[in-house]
Amino acid sequence: MTIRTSLLLVLAFSTASARAQDEDLLRSVQDSTPRKEYVTSAFKSSRVIMTHSIEMLRPGVLDFRILHRFGPVNGGARELFGLDGPASVRLGLDYGISKDFTVGLGRSTYLKELDAFLKYRLIQQATGPRAAPLSVVLAGGMTVKTGRWTDPSRKDYFSSRVGYYGQLIAGRKFSERFTLQIVPTIVHQNLVINNADDNDIFALGAGARLKVSKRVALTADYHHVFNPNSPFFHDPLSLGIDIETGGHVFQLHFTNAVGMNERVYLNETYNDWGKGDVQFGFNISRAFQLKKRK
Amino acid sequence: MAHQTIRPVLMAALLSASCLTATAQRYFTKSGHIDFSSKAALENIRAVNKSVTCVLDTKTGAVQFSVLMKGFSFEKALMQEHFNENYVESDKFPKAEFRGTITNNGEIDYSKPGSYTVNVKGLLTIHGVTKPVETSGTIQVGDGAIQASASFQVLVSDYRISIPAVVRDNVSNTIRIQVSTRLEPLSK
């Protein structure tokens, strides 16, 4: 009987020490105070398809962007559904100066137009203390047509070739899969075609992303222009799919916009989705880390 | 009869005394280092985390680690984004943890400075998957602090993390993990 009690005691102690090993030691040192956490990766790329997204480039990252639109799909089989061209291309370089500040340059084949922009993030969506329900980004740019001057009745002033745009991008990553942003934009052109045309046009856009897998997402990008200058203008709409492979993001899409900067697609989109007047296109984004991180 | 009753009492006294003298001496840090590296045909990837939490119980040999996945920093920003977004899914699985024991803890004299080779065995949880891990490491007992370090390999595929075929030459399935911590007494 006494041997049994001693055995029991030994047993009791050995289980006690076994329990000590299973004990959650980490809990004793971890502080449970919630921390502010930024919401990241709302979009795969810094553009939804044609529009700036709430996503910024990381500091020191150079993003080489090749934007390419084939000819209209309704050209039929003879034109291989637009793949024979004529193609419209914009080559661009964007650079992340800081976490909240990106600059970029681009040149489009359409009107041989140059464009440059500044993009600044005012608010980044965050959770925890001092949370922010959405991200707010300002983007502003300037465009210059560098093609041959075609209007002999006017003098070719540099200023006549210049346009500007400004936009506010407000967006929220609602869930891991779904992000939505709205984009009010104003575009100013120094010179317009007709006397009655507005120099300033106003648009309200929306962009969305729905992730279907870790590396693939569906995207949509639309703008409504309130005061278009041409009766043949159609609101630009792009529907696409983002595919990410390592250092590249491929944005395959269909769009009725031929031009690829804000001034063009909000002023000179004459193709009509309703008539199948759309083009197949792709954007390729290739990121290079120029500044090494520590 | 008399000495028979004394035995259990003595044993109990001895046992409780040994427990009291070795009062759960715990050491910890919140700034331990973990770095991991992948060596593939086209690319070497390395990431470092300098805010690893670790607690060591010198009495039981229990050792536990916890690390926030978002705290790993990479040379390229895009790698870091892909790591969090596509591989370890940090929003879903914010932490990696290790809970284990030093199996030869009895051989370590924590009361005087010295270096010991230790064997550690336990469970490693990454990406919501828990797998047994066994490795050897080093414990250096210093004045008022303990330096603990280890290096081991894991297979990415063991933790339900898939590497797409297109980046198979950039990301290796074998990851070398190096742990280095300086632990200080936990006063509580």
Side-chain angles (χ1 to χ4, degrees), chain B residues 61-79:
Chain B
V63 60
Q64 300 183 355
F65 289 89
S66 171
V67 59
L68 278 174
M69 299 313 265
K70 280 194 178 167
F72 280 100
S73 67
F74 291 69
E75 196 179 282
K76 293 182 182 175
L78 206 59
M79 284 177 178

Side-chain angles (χ1 to χ4, degrees), chain A residues 2-3 5-6 9-10 13 17 20-31 35 37-38 40-41 43-44 55 58-59 61 173 176 209 211 214-215 244-248 286-287 289 291-294, chain B residues 4-5 7-8 11-12 15-16 19 26 28 30 53-57 60 62-66 68 70 73-78 80-82 85-87 89 91 95 97 99 101 162 164 166-167 186 188:
Chain A
T2 46
I3 288 168
T5 37
S6 63
L9 271 165
V10 170
F13 276 106
S17 68
Q21 289 174 25
D22 295 338
E23 191 191 326
D24 193 349
L25 298 176
L26 292 167
R27 197 178 297 161
S28 60
V29 294
Q30 268 163 357
D31 51 0
R35 247 181 252 159
E37 233 186 275
Y38 287 114
T40 57
S41 312
F43 287 95
K44 280 277 178 230
E55 210 53 40
R58 311 294 160 101
V61 171
K173 186 176 180 182
E176 192 43 45
R209 172 189 83 161
K211 255 172 112 170
K214 274 184 222 164
R215 292 172 180 84
E244 186 192 0
T245 60
H248 294 90
R286 166 76 212 189
Q289 183 85 38
K291 239 179 26 210
K292 294 281 178 218
R293 292 145 50 99
K294 271 176 250 119
Chain B
Q4 265 181 335
T5 45
R7 246 172 71 194
M11 278 201 76
L15 274 164
S16 56
C19 285
R26 285 176 184 178
F28 86 112
K30 286 185 180 184
T53 300
C54 173
V55 183
L56 167 70
D57 190 315
T60 62
V63 60
Q64 300 183 355
F65 289 89
S66 171
L68 278 174
K70 280 194 178 167
S73 67
F74 291 69
E75 196 179 282
K76 293 182 182 175
L78 206 59
Q80 192 164 329
E81 188 185 323
H82 292 162
E85 275 275 293
N86 302 342
Y87 293 93
E89 300 179 87
D91 281 325
K95 278 179 191 172
E97 279 188 349
R99 285 160 196 271
T101 40
S162 58
V166 283
V167 292
L186 174 64
K188 242 178 200 174

Side-chain angles (χ1 to χ4, degrees), chain A:
Chain A
M1 190 208 161
T2 46
I3 288 168
R4 210 191 283 162
T5 37
S6 63
L7 262 172
L8 268 168
L9 271 165
V10 170
L11 212 82
F13 276 106
S14 61
T15 52
S17 68
R19 211 169 281 143
Q21 289 174 25
D22 295 338
E23 191 191 326
D24 193 349
L25 298 176
L26 292 167
R27 197 178 297 161
S28 60
V29 294
Q30 268 163 357
D31 51 0
S32 52
T33 47
R35 247 181 252 159
K36 180 173 181 172
E37 233 186 275
Y38 287 114
V39 175
T40 57
S41 312
F43 287 95
K44 280 277 178 230
S45 173
S46 61
R47 314 296 158 98
V48 180
I49 295 173
M50 51 187 178
T51 314
H52 291 294
S53 73
I54 49 173
E55 210 53 40
M56 306 296 290
L57 292 182
R58 311 294 160 101
V61 171
L62 181 75
D63 185 17
F64 177 43
R65 301 183 62 85
I66 305 162
L67 279 52
H68 189 284
R69 312 269 198 270
F70 292 101
V73 168
N74 60 3
R78 196 185 168 81
E79 300 292 325
L80 199 59
F81 304 98
L83 263 64
D84 288 347
S88 177
V89 176
R90 177 184 179 275
L91 298 177
L93 286 172
D94 296 356
Y95 183 71
I97 288 181
S98 74
K99 175 176 162 287
D100 296 317
F101 187 43
T102 297
V103 297
L105 258 178
R107 185 191 180 275
S108 306
T109 53
Y110 185 76
L111 302 177
K112 303 185 190 301
E113 194 163 31
L114 293 172
D115 68 273
F117 71 87
L118 308 172
K119 187 176 171 188
Y120 183 72
R121 180 163 56 195
L122 295 172
I123 301 168
Q124 182 173 8
Q125 189 183 342
T127 57
R130 296 177 62 229
L134 42 76
S135 291
V136 178
V137 175
L138 286 176
M142 180 179 170
T143 59
V144 184
K145 295 174 206 162
T146 66
R148 188 161 287 151
W149 190 252
T150 50
D151 186 353
S153 67
R154 297 192 71 100
K155 216 169 165 239
D156 174 16
Y157 292 112
F158 175 75
S159 59
S160 305
R161 297 166 170 266
V162 173
Y164 303 92
Y165 69 90
Q167 59 191 188
L168 185 133
I169 309 149
R172 177 176 163 83
K173 186 176 180 182
F174 285 89
S175 69
E176 192 43 45
R177 295 181 66 199
F178 183 65
T179 304
L180 178 70
Q181 67 172 35
I182 56 163
V183 189
T185 308
I186 174 170
V187 178
H188 175 83
Q189 299 184 99
N190 283 345
L191 180 68
V192 284
I193 300 164
N194 305 303
N195 273 341
D197 288 354
D198 288 330
N199 287 86
D200 298 321
I201 62 108
F202 299 92
L204 182 63
R209 172 189 83 161
L210 183 69
K211 255 172 112 170
V212 290
S213 79
K214 274 184 222 164
R215 292 172 180 84
V216 178
L218 302 176
T219 51
D221 192 348
Y222 171 77
H223 291 269
H224 175 68
V225 177
F226 294 99
N227 55 336
N229 282 325
S230 164
F232 304 109
F233 179 82
H234 290 277
D235 287 343
L237 168 67
S238 306
L239 299 174
I241 180 165
D242 280 7
I243 302 167
E244 186 192 0
T245 60
H248 294 90
V249 179
F250 295 92
Q251 299 184 297
L252 312 180
H253 56 268
F254 287 98
T255 180
N256 63 335
V258 177
M260 282 169 276
N261 68 52
E262 283 66 9
R263 190 205 62 79
V264 184
Y265 69 70
L266 292 176
N267 271 294
E268 294 167 26
T269 297
Y270 301 124
N271 293 344
D272 185 0
W273 268 87
K275 293 183 189 145
D277 223 358
V278 295
Q279 305 111 65
F280 174 65
F282 58 82
N283 302 342
I284 298 173
S285 155
R286 166 76 212 189
F288 299 93
Q289 183 85 38
L290 291 194
K291 239 179 26 210
K292 294 281 178 218
R293 292 145 50 99
K294 271 176 250 119

Side-chain angles (χ1 to χ4, degrees), chain B residues 1-128:
Chain B
M1 181 76 187
H3 77 269
Q4 265 181 335
T5 45
I6 285 165
R7 246 172 71 194
V9 173
L10 219 139
M11 278 201 76
L14 267 170
L15 274 164
S16 56
S18 72
C19 285
L20 284 172
T21 48
T23 42
Q25 189 66 266
R26 285 176 184 178
Y27 287 79
F28 86 112
T29 184
K30 286 185 180 184
S31 54
H33 291 197
I34 288 182
D35 73 77
F36 69 79
S37 53
S38 139
K39 283 191 167 60
L42 294 180
E43 200 161 30
N44 291 339
I45 298 170
R46 193 168 162 263
V48 190
N49 190 317
K50 292 179 180 172
S51 29
V52 178
T53 300
C54 173
V55 183
L56 167 70
D57 190 315
T58 54
K59 197 194 98 198
T60 62
V63 60
Q64 300 183 355
F65 289 89
S66 171
V67 59
L68 278 174
M69 299 313 265
K70 280 194 178 167
F72 280 100
S73 67
F74 291 69
E75 196 179 282
K76 293 182 182 175
L78 206 59
M79 284 177 178
Q80 192 164 329
E81 188 185 323
H82 292 162
F83 170 75
N84 287 306
E85 275 275 293
N86 302 342
Y87 293 93
V88 296
E89 300 179 87
S90 302
D91 281 325
K92 257 192 257 174
F93 310 104
K95 278 179 191 172
E97 279 188 349
F98 174 79
R99 285 160 196 271
T101 40
I102 298 170
T103 50
N104 59 337
N105 193 50
E107 297 164 19
I108 305 168
D109 183 357
Y110 288 101
S111 62
K112 67 166 194 259
S115 184
Y116 303 87
T117 299
V118 294
N119 297 313
V120 181
K121 205 173 165 180
L123 297 171
L124 179 64
T125 307
I126 303 173
H127 193 236

